């Protein structure tokens, strides 16, 4: 069964990315993506990772318009909160590292 579309609260749009446009941060985020996200979201973020194949819903295509059209703050909020079957990364990935991953996700579009 498909879950309801995942929408971040409007307040999340106001969270400012302190690393916006920082390419070094994106490079560092790529490394972390490989360790933490690749298994489900796949090598290029297409949502085709091996670990995601049996999940419902499927891991989201992070290169898609649906994701890329969201604010950095909204994406940050989702990575922070998680939603089953994706974990919350609030305590396992420090805030700055979460922003680095977002900078990397922005290079995937
Ligand atoms: C266990 C597999 C798994 C892992 C690991 C995982 N995700 Fe996800 N992710 C999912 C699934 C499944 C969804 C869809 C959840 C939903 O729509 O309810 C999702 C959704 C998302 C979304 C929301 C897309 C949207 O707007 O609807 C983002 C952003 C995201 N993941 C980023 C990440 C990042 C960054 C990491 C690594 C830190 C990560 N994910 C690790 C499975 C995973």
């Amino acid at each position: 069964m498909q879950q309801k579309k995942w929408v971040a609260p409007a307040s999340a749009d106001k969270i400012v990315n302190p690393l916006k446009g920082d390419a070094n941060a994106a490079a560092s985020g790529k490394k972390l993506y490989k360790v933490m996200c690749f298994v489900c979201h796949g090598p290029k973020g297409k949502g085709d990772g091996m670990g995601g194949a049996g999940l419902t819903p499927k891991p989201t295509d992070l290169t898609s318009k649906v994701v890329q059209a969201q604010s950095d703050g909204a994406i940050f909020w989702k990575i922070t909160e998680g939603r089953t079957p994706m974990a919350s990364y609030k305590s396992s990935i420090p805030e700055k590292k979460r922003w680095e991953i977002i900078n990397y996700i922005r290079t995937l579009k």
Side-chain angles (χ1 to χ4, degrees), residues 3-4 6 33 36-37 39-41 51-52 55 57-60 62 66-67 70 75 78-79 83-86 89 93 101 105:
Q3 292 190 77
K4 261 180 75 187
W6 193 8
Y33 174 91
M36 309 288 293
C37 322
V39 63
C40 288
H41 288 280
L55 299 178
K58 290 266 175 296
T60 317
L62 301 176
V66 196
V67 173
Q70 293 173 48
I75 298 174
K78 289 181 177 179
I79 298 171
R83 184 166 94 160
T84 310
M86 181 170 130
Y89 291 98
I93 303 181
I101 295 176
I105 290 174

Side-chain angles (χ1 to χ4, degrees), residues 30-104:
K30 179 178 185 177
K31 291 189 194 127
L32 200 59
Y33 174 91
K34 282 197 173 152
V35 180
M36 309 288 293
C37 322
F38 183 111
V39 63
C40 288
H41 288 280
K44 298 240 153 66
K46 292 272 184 197
D48 55 356
M50 300 233 305
L55 299 178
T56 307
K58 290 266 175 296
T60 317
D61 179 352
L62 301 176
T63 72
S64 65
K65 253 198 200 134
V66 196
V67 173
Q68 294 290 340
Q70 293 173 48
S71 65
D72 284 2
I75 298 174
F76 180 82
W77 184 89
K78 289 181 177 179
I79 298 171
T80 304
E81 298 300 320
R83 184 166 94 160
T84 310
M86 181 170 130
S88 154
Y89 291 98
K90 194 183 278 177
S91 48
S92 54
I93 303 181
E95 206 170 303
K96 179 161 177 264
K97 293 282 170 196
R98 274 176 260 147
W99 288 118
E100 290 177 359
I101 295 176
I102 288 167
N103 279 19
Y104 172 62

